Amino acid sequence: MPNRRDFLKTSAIASIGASPMLAACGGGASASQQQKPVVVSTWRHGMPANEAAWEELTDDGTALDAVEAGVRVIEADPETRTVGRGGYPDRTGVVTLDACVMDERGRCGSVGALEDILHPTSVARKVMEETPHVMLVGDGARDFAIEQGFEETDLLTEQSRQDWQEWKEKQEETPERPEPNIEGEVDEENHDTIGMLALDANGHLSGACTTSGTQWKMHGRVGDSPLIGAGLFVDDDVGAACATGWGEAVIRTAGSHLAVEKMRQGASPMEACRAVVERVSNLHGNPEDVQVGVLALNKNGEIGAYGLQSGFETAQYTPEAGNQLVEADAFQ
Ligand code: SD4
């Protein structure tokens, strides 16, 4: 098991896809140039997801189609323990999923504490497209999904069931009462949500964010990931942002909305992400066991990523070179 420091050195990765033409021009777009299409996503889960999104983007897909296609890859992967099927259950042994989408018209859809459905992001998109609401939770979200033709799926894999069983047995021997609003143990296996942002060939932005939430959370807990403005925010005039890590801290700072508003005021994506991390740090004083990572993409196709702890990294994806890790800035 890696220690927290080592883990943080390798945990926060954003994957970036840039157009081959601009990469050939030397990379990086000035404020007047628009680099597109672009797809960025958090952490290492972004790597296969980016490829699926990139295919959509280069096949005339919209940014919304791209982010949905991208994160679905991770939702379906039972080896990813923090998103979709195979995700860690809550303390009652039930896997509950949170997800949202937001598009270039400011339309958004979201599901919280959704059980038994493999692709919460697609359900969130249906909430956006088929209902007058933004968010459905719990049984209501599941009933809606089934009504929309989603099949019921057992999200608890044998591995997750065994891990939960072990955790429960330990709890019976030495019960641990988590401190209010403090994230449970975070390690390589318990991190992290995938947030994905895309700018399509028409210059429009969309985003998606999906997670099984924090390991052994209370039943009914909903994190930042499905909350528009916290886990994700998109404004087609300005940019888009998403967040990962300790959801309660992201909610308290309306992290993604804050990042987009900073960009509106003229901040670069990196400066905008840093502003969110500073806000979290001001509230919590950088405790070792708190991690928050913010990723932003502006209208020009420029990206920025910033972590609370040192070692926050990004990965660059280009069709020629695939995904490549790139060191990003961090607060400490
Ligand atoms: C949550 N932000 O539910 C998500 C999960 C995560 O590290 O990213 N955990 O709080």
Side-chain angles (χ1 to χ4, degrees):
M1 180 77 69
N3 70 29
R4 173 138 191 106
R5 277 276 163 215
D6 289 346
F7 160 67
L8 287 168
K9 283 193 182 120
T10 55
S11 65
I13 294 168
S15 308
I16 300 157
S19 78
M21 192 188 77
L22 281 156
C25 290
S30 73
S32 56
Q33 285 177 300
Q34 197 185 55
Q35 176 170 266
K36 59 187 183 187
V38 176
V39 58
V40 298
S41 64
T42 54
W43 206 36
R44 64 179 175 184
H45 301 319
M47 296 188 179
N50 276 6
E51 285 167 31
W54 186 262
E55 268 183 41
E56 280 290 328
L57 286 174
T58 50
D59 196 24
D60 287 336
T62 64
L64 181 64
D65 292 334
V67 294
E68 182 186 6
V71 302
R72 279 173 62 101
V73 173
I74 310 306
E75 289 175 341
D77 176 7
E79 302 299 318
T80 301
R81 309 300 307 282
T82 50
V83 178
R85 183 159 177 272
Y88 284 111
D90 64 20
R91 54 189 52 217
T92 69
V94 178
V95 179
T96 67
L97 305 178
D98 295 342
C100 72
V101 292
M102 189 162 186
D103 79 1
E104 79 260 18
R105 288 193 271 156
R107 300 186 311 162
C108 42
S110 157
V111 288
L114 175 66
E115 295 175 30
D116 305 325
I117 305 290
L118 183 59
H119 288 299
T121 302
S122 296
V123 183
R125 183 170 177 173
K126 287 282 183 198
V127 172
M128 175 176 96
E129 290 175 341
E130 306 292 338
T131 82
H133 306 305
V134 165
M135 186 169 198
L136 294 178
V137 301
D139 289 349
R142 181 177 50 189
D143 292 348
F144 168 73
I146 292 165
E147 225 176 82
Q148 290 290 317
F150 290 83
E151 273 176 29
E152 286 183 86
T153 308
D154 187 359
L155 299 173
L156 190 69
T157 56
E158 184 49 29
Q159 186 60 55
S160 286
R161 198 193 57 74
Q162 276 176 24
D163 291 341
W164 172 68
Q165 203 67 44
E166 270 173 37
W167 172 82
K168 218 165 87 106
E169 279 160 23
K170 261 202 237 149
Q171 284 291 301
E172 275 153 23
E173 286 159 25
T174 26
E176 271 175 37
R177 193 177 162 77
E179 286 180 57
N181 275 238
I182 294 293
E183 188 174 42
E185 189 185 341
V186 175
D187 56 31
E188 193 160 351
E189 298 297 311
N190 186 26
H191 203 287
D192 117 329
T193 299
I194 179 162
M196 178 176 277
L197 312 172
L199 179 68
D200 63 28
N202 294 318
H204 293 306
L205 290 160
S206 287
C209 188
T210 177
T211 189
S212 53
T214 46
Q215 196 184 40
W216 326 138
K217 63 191 176 185
M218 288 175 71
H219 187 63
R221 181 262 190 190
V222 171
D224 59 316
S225 306
L227 301 184
I228 300 299
L232 175 72
F233 196 71
V234 177
D235 184 320
D236 206 43
D237 291 336
V238 177
C242 59
T244 75
W246 181 29
E248 279 74 5
V250 176
I251 294 170
R252 285 188 193 121
T253 52
S256 295
H257 184 258
L258 176 59
V260 171
E261 291 309 300
K262 286 284 174 187
M263 290 191 283
R264 193 191 308 281
Q265 292 159 12
S268 70
M270 185 71 83
E271 289 163 349
C273 293
R274 183 185 162 99
V276 178
V277 168
E278 277 175 353
R279 196 70 68 89
V280 170
S281 164
N282 288 343
L283 278 173
H284 299 286
N286 294 340
E288 279 278 304
D289 57 352
V290 170
Q291 174 61 311
V292 165
V294 187
L295 172 64
L297 168 66
N298 73 11
K299 192 73 182 161
N300 296 318
E302 298 162 318
I303 66 107
Y306 214 91
L308 179 59
Q309 310 283 358
S310 62
F312 198 79
E313 291 173 327
T314 62
Q316 180 157 19
Y317 176 87
T318 65
E320 304 86 11
N323 285 291
Q324 291 184 305
L325 296 189
V326 176
E327 188 107 1
D329 279 346
F331 196 62
Q332 292 188 317

